[in-house]
Amino acid sequence: GYLPSEKVKKIMSESIAGLVLYEPSGNTEKSLPNKLFEYMETGLPVICSDFPLWKEIVKENNCGICVNPCNPNEIAAAINKLLDNTDMAKKMGSNGRKTVTEKYNWGGARIRADKDIFERDLDNINLCYCGGMSEARNISMYVKAMENIPGKLFLIGELSTEYKKRLEKINGWKNVVYFGYVNNEEVRHIYQKS
């Protein structure tokens, strides 16, 4: 169903990291997903696939943690590292926001986020994934990683009925809050500020 922009903003403000964990394939390893930069712009540290191009951006700018997207233990370890080091998580989020503002932007059409998202309280231990929900996006690894994480994974996007049924069988699903489809204009509203 539809999710208003204020609800998406609240979800992101209660999250400790943005997840961009695509499975390796010819296309994903060489792409630069908008989601990576959108999370950085909002001040969320990213946990992303360890593809060379992504790793170069994330490590160079100290704005998140790169992991093997097919290893739920590595994903969980990255989540726990941010949970155990909230000052580091805040610094990574700040670095990501600065990087997008100064380096990775579209000039005057730069993506903007509300200040309250950037200055959120990182005592919350929720994670947010907003975007495509195909199997290529590796959602099952996100869910598996949540098996031993004492928080919630907010999934915003459309899952096929068949894929959702398979995901619901994974133990980590108990820590997932699934919102379904969200209108793109509403998601954009979160990131844009005139």
Side-chain angles (χ1 to χ4, degrees):
Y2 174 80
L3 193 63
S5 63
E6 290 303 312
K7 182 69 174 171
V8 175
K9 185 189 305 183
K10 182 174 180 352
I11 290 166
M12 292 185 78
S13 72
E14 294 174 352
S15 298
I16 193 165
L19 303 174
V20 190
L21 298 165
Y22 297 176
E23 289 183 351
S25 77
N27 292 337
T28 59
E29 293 179 59
K30 295 176 179 141
S31 69
L32 282 174
N34 288 340
K35 191 59 52 197
L36 177 69
F37 299 103
E38 290 170 350
Y39 288 143
M40 288 167 61
E41 176 63 21
T42 63
L44 281 172
V46 296
I47 298 173
C48 69
S49 301
D50 59 358
F51 305 148
L53 183 59
W54 299 16
K55 190 186 276 189
E56 179 181 331
I57 291 168
V58 172
K59 288 192 177 263
E60 176 183 310
N61 297 292
N62 189 30
C63 59
I65 301 171
C66 299
V67 298
N68 177 341
C70 299
N71 184 331
N73 293 329
E74 234 179 273
I75 297 166
I79 294 166
N80 284 320
K81 184 173 183 175
L82 293 176
L83 293 174
D84 293 341
N85 301 283
T86 56
D87 287 342
M88 179 186 68
K90 287 179 183 180
K91 179 67 175 160
M92 286 178 168
S94 176
N95 291 345
R97 182 178 175 95
K98 181 179 178 191
T99 298
V100 170
T101 302
E102 295 177 358
K103 189 173 182 182
Y104 298 108
N105 63 68
W106 297 317
R110 173 166 65 210
I111 297 170
R112 298 294 234 166
D114 291 340
K115 190 175 181 182
D116 61 330
I117 292 175
F118 176 60
E119 295 178 350
R120 70 199 173 285
D121 175 9
L122 287 183
D123 288 335
N124 294 305
I125 54 172
N126 299 318
L127 298 145
C128 179
Y129 175 84
C130 179
M133 297 280 194
S134 69
E135 291 188 53
R137 299 296 170 100
N138 216 15
I139 305 302
S140 62
M141 288 298 121
Y142 297 30
V143 175
K144 286 177 186 174
M146 293 305 297
E147 289 179 3
N148 298 308
I149 303 296
K152 295 292 181 190
L153 168 62
F154 299 121
L155 291 179
I156 304 169
E158 195 77 34
L159 282 170
S160 71
T161 304
E162 181 183 312
Y163 190 36
K164 183 173 181 262
K165 285 180 182 177
R166 289 198 317 266
L167 292 173
E168 288 172 339
K169 293 177 182 176
I170 299 171
N171 193 33
W173 185 261
K174 69 182 182 285
N175 293 327
V176 171
V177 179
Y178 173 61
F179 290 95
Y181 174 77
V182 177
N183 180 302
N184 282 342
E185 286 301 313
E186 292 299 317
V187 173
R188 268 191 222 109
H189 176 75
I190 295 168
Y191 302 116
Q192 295 173 341
K193 185 80 171 171
S194 299

